[in-house]
Amino acid sequence: RARPVLPSPLESGAAADELRELVAAAKPLLKVAEVEEACSSLSGALRGLDEWLSRCALLFVKPQCGRPLLAVLRNDTASAGMWPPSDDENLLCCACCTPDTLGVPSEVSWVGCDECDGWFHSYCVRVPDAVAETLDSFRCPRCCTLAGAAYAFGSAALPPPILTTMRPSFRATEALLAAADGASASRTAEACAVRALLEATARWREGLRGEVCEAERAVEAEA
């Protein structure tokens, strides 16, 4: 008789940890031929998936960040450890920069937010070093945004952003997503989150092109 076809969790968008739990749960049943065959295939797929997830984490997760990869990709604000940044995170960078951010001076002052206890490079939050040393109080850009208040050291419309990821380039993210197919990762929750980020970015870029074209046509019409 024909062997039953076991459904593949890789086709369901399951997160990698759930797949590992499934493999572990199947071990007592390996004497069943169908289970052994499916488990062997899944174990091989998981090895490729782990490699892809490691590559994804290197691209998106800031060093020493305590949040899970999926929470970072989804910008899950409910995740424990997101805010304020941990002491380990602050050793390498502040919440407004990444370790590879260009332009941050080698010696820079730090300022601490009185509301969220997060620490920031004065350079990254646009606070002059001389001012940083004399501040009696400081409210960070994120807390100002949450409170609907103007940020004291920048435009109210565009305060320095809080960088919760490494901010990879569009091209690097495209390459990562393309590699997901070969790693059996294309339908995992992590890959779906990366795909959603790319799609949102592509829509924004297309809208920007439209705005630029309209502005150029308006200039030409006035000329």
Side-chain angles (χ1 to χ4, degrees), residues 192-203:
C192 290
V194 172
R195 186 176 297 108
L197 286 171
L198 275 175
E199 290 172 351
T201 304
R203 289 193 297 271

Side-chain angles (χ1 to χ4, degrees), residues 7 41 95 177-178 207 223:
S41 175
L177 190 59

